[in-house]
Structures are given as structure tokens and as C-alpha cells.
Amino acid sequence: MSDSRNYTVGWICALETEYVAAQSFLDEEHKGPEYVSPHDNNDYTLGKIGKHNVVIAVLPDGEYGTSSAASVARDMLHSFPNVRIGLMVGIGGGAPSSKHDIRLGDIVVSAPRHGESGVFQYDFGKTIQNQSFQPTGFLNQTPMVLRTAINGIKAEHKRKGHQIEQAINGVLQESPRLRRDYKRPDMNSDRLYLSEFVHTKEEETCAVACGDNPSSLVPRIKRTESDDNPAIFYGTIASSNQLMKDAVARDSLAKEKEVLCFEMEAAGLMNHFPCLVIRGICDYADSHKNKEWQGYAAMAAAAYAKNLLCRIPLNKMEAEKKLCDVISSVKNSLDEVYTATQDTKATVQNLDLEQKRGKVEYWLSPPDPSTNFNKALQQRHKGSGLWFLQSDNFIKWRTQPSSFLWLHGIPGCGKTILSSTIIEQLGTMLPSQTILYFYFDFNDTAKQTLDKMIRSLIYQFYHNDEKDSQPLYSLFSSCKDRQRQPTTEELCNVFFEMLNRIEEIWIVLDALDECSTRRGPAINGVLSWIREILNTEQRNVHLLVTSRPEQDIESEITQHYQKDDIIAIKSGLISDDIRAYIHARVRENPGLKRWWSHVEVQNEIELRLIEKADGM
Ligand SMILES: [Zn+2]
């Protein structure tokens, strides 16, 4: 049995055909390993190529793709801890172009450049649908000793050509059984069809279905004695979990990323098993598939891999870092990079958002209704408003789509306290929903117009849910980032757009009668604005407003809304009887006769009296 610690080259194949080819190029074959990791289910072939001990593994039968490759590689490195260089050797689909005359049986080697590995991963689904590629780069971990050997081989081939064809023939001579499946197929079966020419009859071969009509083929000149055959290309290999069989997508990647070859495993390996990828070309990554060239292409790739290993001196190999050490350092640096990027991204995003919010807030300068809310709650008596919160009206309003309620009451009946109780209750009952509110206020000039109300509602909306704020950002930038103030109309439009983006919303507006811009069209009168909000069917707005029963408000609301939508407010502490008594006395008591024509003063007297009664 062989000591697994003696093996320095890890060679991975995806298919049995490739495994056979790899084994065929061993100079000597060793017995199986003495010991492998307990969970390692890989099949290994051990042997020697040149001066190096090589361990070859294959993916389980029927499995392919990046993750299978990654797991085979991981197990290999556990069982063979001294592996120093990795090779992924097998077949792939070529991407011929005017720049790279790639033919069947040729060899493509992943060539690291610009600090990248020479392999990139792309998302196949997106390739086909949107023609846009989202490649993932890998760190270049190709060992120095391999890169040096590649350069040596290139120079040698340039001068003297290579012996790959002869090496394959030598193998086939020694193993006649392999000849049928692994010899070079007839040159006439190497057909490169035009990209638009699609193979339609799945069950028929290209010879039958697609034929040899020159009008469907890409014209290519026969290779001569002075051309390398097979030819060897160095460049980028594209890797994905799905098979590339679309000539148009192939061409587009070849052009955009200078891809020479498509395959399905390398991307899974690069960060677990830094390796050189060597692919023999068995088809053109298009709809025309045949298996005829697979054996020979696998042989060509294996022959190249052997060439490469034979160039590496023993002492240079031993001087290389062990792959398992390389990987842990790759993993650490990837983790660090990842954590650092995530942190930075989050911080930048937060900073960005905070800064943006600050700018938008400054520009919008919304009045803050929470001061009214807090003040009202401080004045509230225990149990106040319960009569309403427990009423059917409230439940209906809260739950039925596009609902409206007008709570009206004489001054001092506790409207503002009731509004605040409702807002508080909504917040408790619907913690993840959008609830907006505003208090019109005689005592605060910043809270007396529709314009100010909209600013406040938009800002609450924005603060609540960043993702629905695109209309606001658009307005912000169209105002040249706060150089100009938006008009009320623009604000109204933004607010309606924001409403259209949300499924459901609850809005409470207190003391409409304290709004100085009640009349006029929806862009400046709050009453028409209310009608506009509720008129659109697709919006699911629950709107509740409170006010004194001022004539204009009453007439607007009784004209447009149901009787059920209108509720008179009961004070939590004084009975309706007392309220009615006070109301009547103020208006009928002869002692107060001189105020009879002054409704405002009467209201004021009534308010004071009710407040006194409240305190009793
Ligand atoms: Zn075909």
C-alpha cells in the first residue's frame, strides 16, 4: 500500500473518460492508498509521472458541476495532505472566433493574468435571458512552479512543436482496447456551424440532420505541417453549473470576456483547490453535440498535463507550499475581504441614508406633530376614549378597506385627546403598519395649512418606509437638491404617489377646523384633498378626522359621506346631559344675551364651562 503523504500532485477529473485518459499517462501505477480520511469516498488512482507522485480522483458517476468538484477536492486534500499543485484535466466546449481558431481536439489551458485565475464563473440563466454576465473572479493561486513550467513549455513548443499526437498514439498502441473510443476521429466530423445555424433534430447526428453544406458552416483552412495539431491556447475558461449549448451566448462571452472554453467544474475548485485547468475541446458549446471527440479530447488534455509535470524539477515541487496551507490562507483572506466589504457597505449605506434623510428633512422642513400628541396624552384621564376604541365604528373603520370617519364635537369635548388615544392604540395594534397623523393647531402657525400637513405626512411616510420614497427623492432632485422649495401641488402629487405604492395605510387628522386652508381645490384645500384621497379605489386608506362641527366641514362631509361615517364625540368624564345643558344655557340664558350673535364667543364660554365641569 502507498503512503498518502508521498503525493504532491492532485489531479481531478469529472468524467470516467477523463479518468481513463489520466491513468493512461502514468509512467508507473502504485497500489491504492494505505489510509484515507474517514469520510472520504473518492476513488483514487496513484502513480508517478516524471519525478512526481500523482493522485488522480474522479467525480462520482453521474455527478458534475461546481459543488461536486469542490467536495472531491476537499476530500482529496484531507487524505493527501502534501499535495502541492492541483490540476483539473478533462474536456470542454471550445469558443472559436476570428481571433482564436479553436478546433476539436485542441487544448485550452487556463492562464492567470492581471492577478486573476484565468477562470471565471457566470450565471447561465442570466446569460440567456438578458445577455448580461455577472462573472465572479477568483484569486490567482496558480503555483509559481506551474506558471514557470507553462512558460517553458510555450517556448519549447514555439521552437520545436509538441509531441502530443505522438504521445497519444503511444498510449493507444500500448492499450489497443482504448483505440476505438480514444483515437482521433475523422477530420470531416469536425464541423463548425454558423452561430445562427441550430441543430433541431435532437435524435439525429449532425452528419444526417445538419450536413456539410458550406453555406451553414464556418469556412476554415486545413492545418498544415507547420501548424501545431492539436493547437494549444492559453486564456480564460468560463465555468458554470449548466452546460453551454448556445452559440450566440457563447460568441457573446467569447467577445466580451475573451473566453476560449466552457466547462462546468473549475469554478467550484478555484478557492478550495487552486488548480490549473486543462481542457481538451470536444465540441463547440453550441446545439450541435456529439460524443465522438470526447475520448481524443480527454487524451489531448492528459497528454498536455503530463508534458507540464515532466518539466517540473523535484526540488521545485517540494519547495511549493502545501495546497491545504494555501487554502486556509485563501479562506482567511477571503473571509477578511468579505467581512470588510460587508461592514463597509453597511456603514456607507447607513451614512448615506442618514445624510440623505438629513438633507431631505432640512429641505422639507416638516412640522412635528408628536409635540401635540405627547401633550394630549399627558392631559388624558384614565379610561378616556374607551367608549370609542371599543365601539363598532372604530373596529369597522380600522378593518374595512378605504374607510372614513369624522369625529366631531364641541370645543372642550376632548377631540385632541381622543385623536391621540386613537393614534396610540393604532400603534399598539398595528405595529408594522404605516400610521400617519397630523394636528392642526391654532396656537402654532406651522400647523395651520394643507401644505404643512402634507410635508409632515410625507416625512413620516418616508421615515417609516424608505423603500416607498422614490417619488420623494425624485421631487427632491428635481428641486435641485433643496435649492428650491416644492409647491403644494408637487407635494400633494408625491404624497399620492407614495400612497399608491403602499397596500394599506391609516391616517388621523386632528382639528380640521384649525386649518386655515380648508376650501379650494385639492392642491390647497384640505376638504377637497380628503375627497381625493378617498376617491381612488385602488388605495386602501383609512382616514379619520376630527373637528368642531363648523358649517363648511359639516356640509362637505354630509354631502359626500355616509351617516355611519359621522360620530359625535362624547367626553370621557362629563355626561352628554351636562354638555347639552351647558350648550343650551350659553345660547338661551338671558344673562348671556349680548353674546347671542357672537358664535365664537359663545363657543369659548361653552368651552370654559365644560372644562370647569370636566374638573368637577
Ligand atoms: Zn448539428
Side-chain angles (χ1 to χ4, degrees):
M1 293 299 236
S2 309
D3 185 343
S4 53
R5 287 168 299 186
N6 293 338
Y7 293 82
T8 52
V9 178
W11 176 320
I12 292 180
C13 310
L15 306 171
E16 192 210 329
T17 309
E18 300 164 352
Y19 198 32
V20 169
Q23 290 165 343
S24 307
F25 281 95
L26 287 174
D27 292 322
E28 56 186 68
E29 199 167 337
H30 302 159
K31 289 203 170 99
E34 217 164 76
Y35 169 88
V36 296
S37 291
H39 301 293
D40 182 348
N41 297 315
N42 290 344
D43 183 67
Y44 293 112
T45 297
L46 307 179
K48 198 164 204 168
I49 290 179
K51 300 179 184 66
H52 310 290
N53 287 326
V54 182
V55 47
I56 310 173
V58 64
L59 265 57
D61 189 28
E63 282 188 35
Y64 47 84
T66 53
S67 52
S68 296
S71 104
V72 167
R74 201 165 33 234
D75 289 345
M76 179 190 273
L77 291 187
H78 279 140
S79 299
F80 297 85
N82 286 326
V83 165
R84 286 163 158 83
I85 65 169
L87 300 175
M88 174 86 214
V89 187
I91 58 178
S97 61
S98 52
K99 229 169 149 184
H100 304 285
D101 180 17
I102 300 174
R103 307 202 182 178
L104 299 186
D106 285 352
I107 297 155
V108 174
V109 182
S110 66
R113 20 168 223 181
H114 314 308
E116 288 184 3
S117 65
V119 170
F120 90 85
Q121 189 171 20
Y122 66 98
D123 185 330
F124 193 78
K126 284 184 180 132
T127 308
I128 299 308
Q129 286 154 25
N130 308 331
Q131 295 297 315
S132 77
F133 308 108
Q134 302 205 321
T136 315
F138 297 102
L139 299 181
N140 172 21
Q141 297 296 324
T142 313
M144 176 65 90
V145 66
L146 272 178
R147 282 181 280 156
T148 313
I150 287 176
N151 267 343
I153 276 201
K154 276 180 170 173
E156 183 189 310
H157 289 176
K158 194 149 237 160
R159 265 184 331 119
K160 303 190 216 157
H162 60 63
Q163 305 295 314
I164 284 175
E165 187 77 55
Q166 291 86 328
I168 297 172
N169 290 338
V171 163
L172 294 179
Q173 218 140 32
E174 263 177 52
S175 320
R177 300 169 60 96
L178 295 181
R179 278 180 209 158
R180 194 191 64 195
D181 295 335
Y182 291 85
K183 69 170 195 306
R184 182 181 258 282
D186 188 88
M187 279 314 293
N188 294 327
S189 64
D190 179 2
R191 303 179 185 89
L192 175 60
Y193 290 101
L194 294 169
S195 301
E196 311 75 54
F197 190 81
V198 176
H199 187 109
T200 46
K201 291 175 188 148
E202 191 68 42
E203 63 287 355
E204 287 177 3
T205 62
C206 281
V208 178
C210 306
D212 293 303
N213 191 334
S215 67
S216 51
L217 289 164
V218 176
R220 295 183 297 179
I221 300 160
K222 250 195 172 161
R223 283 183 176 159
T224 65
E225 288 284 306
S226 55
D227 295 317
D228 276 338
N229 198 24
I232 302 165
F233 297 87
Y234 299 87
T236 304
I237 291 180
S239 188
S240 167
N241 261 324
Q242 270 171 292
L243 201 59
M244 171 61 83
K245 44 184 175 184
D246 178 324
V248 176
R250 171 201 71 195
D251 291 349
S252 144
L253 264 175
K255 195 171 165 205
E256 205 175 306
K257 301 285 172 192
E258 287 206 38
V259 167
L260 302 179
C261 170
F262 291 88
E263 56 90 91
M264 297 175 62
E265 282 81 25
L269 292 180
M270 298 317 287
N271 290 329
H272 302 281
F273 182 80
C275 61
L276 188 74
V277 186
I278 302 166
R279 294 289 182 186
I281 301 303
C282 66
D283 59 51
Y284 292 118
D286 55 13
S287 55
H288 311 275
K289 292 273 169 185
N290 62 59
K291 295 198 164 179
E292 229 176 312
W293 281 82
Q294 288 189 357
Y296 181 78
M299 282 288 177
Y304 178 88
K306 179 172 183 168
N307 254 352
L308 197 65
L309 290 179
C310 290
R311 277 199 83 90
I312 300 174
L314 196 59
N315 62 328
K316 289 283 178 192
M317 183 72 91
E318 279 162 0
E320 278 295 328
K321 262 192 181 171
K322 295 175 190 170
L323 273 198
C324 46
D325 296 339
V326 174
I327 286 162
S328 56
S329 77
V330 172
K331 199 182 165 306
N332 287 345
S333 58
L334 281 181
D335 285 351
E336 276 168 25
V337 168
Y338 182 76
T339 317
T341 347
Q342 289 305 98
D343 285 356
T344 318
K345 210 168 146 194
T347 315
V348 168
Q349 274 173 346
N350 275 341
L351 262 179
D352 218 34
L353 186 59
E354 283 309 312
Q355 257 192 359
K356 211 164 177 183
R357 272 207 181 130
K359 279 185 186 173
V360 169
E361 180 172 4
Y362 180 81
W363 164 76
L364 202 57
S365 45
D368 178 8
S370 71
T371 52
N372 303 68
F373 174 78
N374 294 333
K375 196 173 150 204
L377 288 187
Q378 278 165 13
Q379 294 171 343
R380 178 173 58 171
H381 297 280
K382 196 167 174 272
S384 154
L386 267 184
W387 67 271
F388 178 72
L389 297 182
Q390 291 168 351
S391 71
D392 286 348
N393 297 86
F394 179 60
I395 296 167
K396 260 174 73 183
W397 173 80
R398 211 183 62 227
T399 52
Q400 287 191 350
S402 302
S403 54
F404 174 75
L405 269 185
W406 176 41
L407 305 183
H408 65 86
I410 52 165
C413 66
K415 288 187 297 291
T416 299
I417 290 175
L418 183 57
S419 302
S420 308
T421 306
I422 293 167
I423 293 161
E424 185 190 50
Q425 178 77 357
L426 289 174
T428 316
M429 298 181 89
L430 311 165
S432 54
Q433 299 286 5
T434 308
I435 299 156
L436 313 180
Y437 63 89
F438 191 70
Y439 296 81
F440 291 103
D441 188 350
F442 274 147
N443 297 314
D444 187 342
T445 49
K447 295 175 183 169
Q448 295 172 0
T449 61
L450 176 71
D451 185 273
K452 297 290 189 189
M453 177 197 80
I454 297 277
R455 286 170 189 266
S456 174
L457 296 185
I458 289 178
Y459 189 69
Q460 293 170 51
F461 212 145
Y462 168 54
H463 221 268
N464 196 50
D465 201 342
E466 171 78 11
K467 74 181 185 325
D468 294 315
S469 304
Q470 199 44 53
L472 178 62
Y473 284 140
S474 305
L475 178 59
F476 180 62
S477 50
S478 80
C479 288
K480 303 223 165 46
D481 286 11
R482 83 188 175 204
Q483 283 178 29
R484 141 179 113 73
Q485 272 297 305
T487 64
T488 309
E489 186 175 2
E490 286 173 323
L491 290 169
C492 284
N493 291 338
V494 161
F495 185 69
F496 289 142
E497 278 182 56
M498 288 169 90
L499 278 189
N500 291 342
R501 286 167 176 248
I502 197 159
E503 250 174 58
E504 196 168 14
I505 191 167
W506 288 259
I507 304 174
V508 176
L509 302 178
D510 183 60
L512 280 193
D513 53 285
E514 298 185 32
C515 171
S516 61
T517 55
R518 300 209 287 272
R519 282 171 216 123
I523 52 152
N524 42 47
V526 77
L527 291 174
S528 319
W529 180 86
I530 287 174
R531 218 185 313 146
E532 172 136 1
I533 279 215
L534 295 169
N535 270 351
T536 320
E537 271 179 26
Q538 82 236 29
R539 291 183 195 136
N540 191 1
V541 179
H542 309 271
L543 177 64
L544 185 149
V545 302
T546 74
S547 79
R548 296 183 193 187
E550 299 287 351
Q551 199 270 322
D552 60 325
I553 300 176
E554 189 167 352
S555 101
E556 161 77 19
I557 287 175
T558 46
Q559 203 181 322
H560 292 101
Y561 304 97
Q562 311 288 327
K563 223 173 156 213
D564 288 354
D565 298 337
I566 301 168
I567 295 172
I569 297 177
K570 299 183 228 167
S571 164
L573 287 162
I574 54 166
S575 74
D576 287 349
D577 294 346
I578 295 174
R579 189 198 314 278
Y581 177 70
I582 292 172
H583 185 74
R585 291 290 289 187
V586 170
R587 281 156 185 83
E588 289 157 25
N589 190 314
L592 296 170
K593 194 175 175 182
R594 62 191 167 119
W595 304 118
W596 283 1
S597 55
H598 298 83
V599 181
E600 291 294 336
V601 180
Q602 281 186 329
N603 286 344
E604 200 59 30
I605 296 169
E606 192 179 339
L607 172 67
R608 297 291 164 223
L609 286 173
I610 288 171
E611 272 175 4
K612 285 270 186 281
D614 226 347
M616 273 162 37

